[in-house]
Amino acid sequence: MMMKTPDMSTPAQNFFGTTELQLKKLFSEWKEQPYRVHQVFTWVYHYHCRDFNEMTNLSKSLRSRLAENFYFALPKIQSRTHSKDGSIKYLFELDDGAVVESVWMPSDSRNTLCLSTQVGCRLNCTFCLTASLGLKRNLTAGEIIGQHLAINQEQEYQITNIVFMGMGEPLDNYGPVVDALRLMTSPEAMKISTRKITVSTSGLVDKMKAFQEENLAINLAISLNASDNATRDRLMPINKKYPIEVLMDCLKKYPLKPQRRHTIEYVLLADINDSDEDARRLAKWLKDVPCKINLIPFNSFDSSEFRPPSEERVLNFQNYLIEKNFSAFIRQNRATDILGACGQLAAQSASVIPLRGMKANDEHNALDPVSN
Ligand code: SAH
């Protein structure tokens, strides 16, 4: 990989994370043809070229101009923690020493990457370990796609699905996340199908409205996690700004491509949101929302006051929703033994905790491995 230290006169920029639009603008200033952008992207993303000098269909002057203005940098893999289930949690070190985590989850049918969008998070959901960090900073688009590029580079099996469910609230880092999604889905760049990407949000309604206007057609997962406003206020303070009825209204109006549905995430917390009454209220809220429901038995961590419900409670909850004709799945807990599961990422070293939650041992216990 060719690295270049930025000098003071021309601050060089990481090519990863630079969008087609930004490059087109620059090329027009340089009086270069727009199709040159396509050529550069093809070298970088399709041929994995990391040296502008090797881009032989570009003029020498363009090559050296690119080399003066751009460098290639990926987040550095600081450690890999292996789970018994085959998942790997990656700890990445960023340019300024900040660290974030991504989790690679292989299964028979797919290899899913769960990636981070922020160092920490400022939403302060009471059941989430990442919240304890507060927000340190947003990731750049280059750092977001960089997690994917760095992991794909070292894995024998390529990533097939991406979920934005790691550290951070994706829609609270809006611009860089949208740029990263454009790079991921652009045929000129990473060429990943929009069907294979899911962005999970705690329900920032204004940002969701802006997001739908981007026409990205990316799947949305919404962390609902409670069936009444009082409980959701307590679990997710963002509910005071965007209460359940406002969130539901947004989802009902959200345009979806044919055959697509939203995913509703519901973390099950013993004696907090797992009663029959909760299931009934949840079904009522979701009556006219095109969705499938992912039930996520709480993933424990040491400092938490919450506990996952019993297996029986989880199945009761799921069965009620199924009776009401919802597609309701129990999220397969991955990487819980290495603090790599939903809400367990906090860029700490793994302290081994007992594997809790549901097992894939029951035909009735429909499992949905993390994304579509
Ligand atoms: N901020 C985004 C994405 C990150 S969290 C969001 O809120 O959607 C990804 C999912 O993990 C969310 O559905 C969240 O509710 C869930 N989650 C957080 N902490 C959890 C925990 N300890 N156990 C189980 N799920 C958790």
Side-chain angles (χ1 to χ4, degrees):
M1 180 179 302
M2 191 193 71
M3 304 294 283
K4 184 181 182 299
T5 321
D7 70 48
M8 298 314 275
S9 54
T10 54
Q13 169 181 338
N14 191 359
F15 188 85
F16 297 123
T18 303
T19 62
E20 280 170 83
L21 210 65
Q22 287 163 350
L23 206 59
K24 277 192 178 138
K25 213 166 138 235
L26 190 65
F27 276 26
S28 115
E29 281 165 28
W30 291 354
K31 308 273 181 285
E32 293 286 348
Q33 295 295 323
Y35 75 90
R36 296 284 178 203
V37 172
H38 182 187
Q39 289 179 317
V40 179
F41 268 66
T42 304
W43 279 109
V44 173
Y45 291 105
H46 296 191
Y47 298 116
H48 309 291
C49 174
R50 304 290 183 256
D51 183 346
F52 293 110
N53 273 321
E54 287 172 11
M55 302 183 182
T56 45
N57 54 357
L58 307 180
S59 69
K60 281 222 163 103
S61 66
L62 178 56
R63 282 186 250 168
S64 59
R65 210 157 187 194
L66 282 165
E68 277 161 29
N69 285 275
F70 293 98
Y71 59 95
F72 293 99
L74 292 178
K76 208 166 80 210
I77 298 175
Q78 207 181 58
S79 69
R80 300 168 186 79
T81 313
H82 294 257
S83 162
K84 284 184 279 200
D85 68 16
S87 305
I88 305 174
K89 182 167 76 170
Y90 287 87
L91 184 69
F92 283 105
E93 185 181 341
L94 309 175
D95 275 356
D96 60 352
V99 284
V100 286
E101 292 173 328
S102 322
V103 188
W104 188 78
M105 296 170 284
S107 72
D108 290 344
S109 56
R110 67 191 75 175
N111 298 313
T112 305
L113 174 69
C114 174
L115 53 76
S116 294
T117 54
Q118 296 180 311
V119 185
C121 184
R122 62 177 179 148
L123 292 188
N124 222 4
C125 300
T126 48
F127 53 86
C128 179
L129 185 59
T130 307
S132 60
L133 299 172
L135 177 63
K136 303 251 165 74
R137 75 165 170 89
N138 286 323
L139 297 193
T140 63
E143 289 165 340
I144 297 169
I145 65 165
Q147 297 165 63
H148 182 290
L149 296 170
I151 292 173
N152 241 359
Q153 205 162 276
E154 71 155 31
Q155 285 288 349
E156 186 183 345
Y157 301 105
Q158 298 290 288
I159 294 160
T160 58
N161 293 58
I162 303 171
V163 294
F164 284 63
M165 295 183 187
M167 292 164 66
E169 164 54 48
L171 297 187
D172 192 35
N173 181 18
Y174 190 84
V177 164
V178 168
D179 283 351
L181 288 169
R182 289 205 194 287
L183 285 165
M184 284 174 169
T185 54
S186 163
E188 320 261 293
M190 293 165 75
K191 218 178 166 180
I192 300 165
S193 159
T194 58
R195 294 186 160 276
K196 303 288 184 184
I197 306 178
T198 301
V199 170
S200 180
T201 178
S202 55
L204 305 185
V205 171
D206 290 334
K207 295 288 168 57
M208 287 165 67
K209 286 180 180 161
F211 193 66
Q212 77 189 44
E213 312 263 298
E214 305 282 350
N215 282 327
L216 278 160
I218 298 284
N219 303 308
L220 264 195
I222 297 92
S223 303
L224 190 54
N225 297 343
S227 71
D228 65 280
N229 279 318
T231 308
R232 196 164 190 266
D233 280 352
R234 210 148 51 85
L235 298 176
M236 305 178 70
I238 191 69
N239 193 62
K240 292 178 191 143
K241 187 161 181 198
Y242 304 115
I244 302 180
E245 60 279 8
V246 173
L247 185 53
M248 291 301 127
D249 186 54
C250 171
L251 288 181
K252 283 175 195 162
K253 293 180 182 147
Y254 202 98
L256 281 171
K257 287 203 155 182
Q259 317 284 322
R260 301 256 198 128
R261 303 181 279 181
H262 299 297
T263 301
I264 299 292
E265 294 164 286
Y266 193 96
V267 179
L268 282 164
L269 306 165
D271 304 323
I272 306 278
N273 64 2
D274 64 340
S275 69
D276 294 346
E277 190 51 34
D278 281 303
R280 262 195 295 279
R281 277 194 299 253
L282 181 62
K284 241 169 133 183
W285 283 119
L286 296 176
K287 198 163 73 67
D288 299 316
V289 178
C291 68
K292 61 169 183 163
I293 305 168
N294 270 349
L295 301 171
I296 318 174
F298 176 64
N299 294 310
S300 309
F301 50 90
D302 278 350
S303 55
S304 179
E305 61 189 283
F306 298 110
R307 291 169 300 113
S310 68
E311 189 162 334
E312 190 194 350
R313 196 82 292 282
V314 174
L315 289 175
N316 278 348
F317 203 96
Q318 179 192 29
N319 285 338
Y320 178 82
L321 296 170
I322 291 173
E323 273 165 29
K324 292 283 163 195
N325 289 322
F326 287 98
S327 313
F329 303 91
I330 296 165
R331 168 85 60 83
Q332 192 176 1
N333 279 333
R334 299 294 305 260
T336 45
D337 53 337
I338 54 167
L339 284 184
C342 284
Q344 291 185 321
L345 299 184
Q348 302 170 330
S349 60
S351 62
V352 177
I353 56 164
L355 198 83
R356 279 169 130 168
M358 311 304 300
K359 291 200 192 78
N361 58 359
D362 180 349
E363 210 181 299
H364 204 53
N365 171 9
L367 286 166
D368 179 42
V370 182
S371 95
N372 309 308

